[in-house]
Amino acid sequence: QRSVVFLGDSITQGWGGGLGAAFPGMKVANRGISGDTTRGVLLRLEEDVLALHPTAVVLLIGTNDLEEGATPEVVAGNLKLILAALKRHDARMPIVLCQVFPSSAAEKRPAEQIRALNALYLAAVKNDAQVTVLETWPLFADPSGDATVAEFPDLLHPNEIGYAKWAAALRPVFATLRLSETGPDPFTPEEGFESL
């Protein structure tokens, strides 16, 4: 309850136990499900996310829709429905929308389709103060617009290097949104501890 909910597919799920470690001092919940699509997120949003009364939602979804043959326009339409449901639940809850990561035509996720989808995502949230877009596409794409094997060994899922880059990009966003807690390190001994 009252955590920052990471919502998405296997890319989010793959963070696993490392999610909490990547954002110390922040209560997080991983709601990534392998193979999920925008349609799947819509179906499980109420019970899987909204029931947690999140303090914020980090959303990365859409790559599997493309692999299944959905057009960018259909995927973006579903995204708008997801965002509308999140806003209805809490009109002040920050939403961090991550651009769909680069992949590869070999994975049925060609660069031009991901580019088109990300452009539609940006258009959908233009001038929306509740949504912060995290530009993950330029963070990961090679000059041809595909994922690199160094960060995405299977050209779809990030490795430790990829997750570390994603986390580093998210941290300043969380700080700006005042989601990351700051305070004394709980593992620092109190004054006078040595004399006990």
Side-chain angles (χ1 to χ4, degrees):
Q1 291 290 319
R2 305 295 302 163
S3 58
V4 176
V5 175
F6 283 68
L7 176 58
D9 50 38
S10 58
I11 295 172
T12 298
Q13 184 183 33
W15 218 320
L19 183 59
F23 306 102
M26 203 168 84
K27 190 175 178 184
V28 295
N30 191 328
R31 289 295 183 266
I33 293 182
S34 181
D36 211 358
T37 60
T38 52
R39 195 174 61 254
V41 166
L42 278 168
L43 290 172
R44 66 182 171 99
L45 198 58
E46 187 65 45
E47 289 180 11
D48 214 24
V49 179
L50 301 183
L52 298 178
H53 302 287
T55 53
V57 170
V58 179
L59 179 62
L60 171 65
I61 197 73
T63 192
N64 292 325
D65 297 71
L66 295 177
E67 191 269 338
E68 288 182 0
T71 65
E73 290 75 18
V74 166
V75 184
N78 287 342
L79 172 81
K80 289 176 188 176
L81 294 173
I82 294 167
L83 295 175
L86 292 171
K87 288 161 169 266
R88 274 195 308 275
H89 178 75
D90 185 343
R92 291 169 307 191
M93 176 185 65
I95 302 164
V96 180
L97 175 62
C98 300
Q99 288 179 322
V100 175
F101 290 2
S103 180
S104 164
E107 295 298 315
K108 298 183 184 171
R109 297 164 175 91
E112 61 272 11
Q113 278 217 304
I114 298 175
R115 274 196 199 95
L117 181 55
N118 283 333
L120 290 170
Y121 277 15
L122 281 172
V125 299
K126 191 176 179 184
N127 302 321
D128 188 333
Q130 194 173 348
V131 181
T132 302
V133 175
L134 185 66
E135 295 195 3
T136 44
W137 170 267
L139 187 67
F140 291 122
D142 72 8
S144 66
D146 286 336
T148 65
V149 175
E151 294 169 340
F152 296 79
D154 64 354
L155 299 178
L156 180 60
H157 302 94
N159 57 15
E160 284 185 17
I161 298 165
Y163 280 112
K165 276 178 80 169
W166 188 14
L170 280 165
R171 281 188 203 107
V173 174
F174 290 155
T176 301
L177 295 171
R178 294 185 173 87
L179 294 169
S180 43
E181 295 172 14
T182 51
D185 184 335
F187 302 108
T188 303
E190 299 287 326
E191 272 189 295
F193 176 79
E194 295 80 1
S195 62
L196 293 177

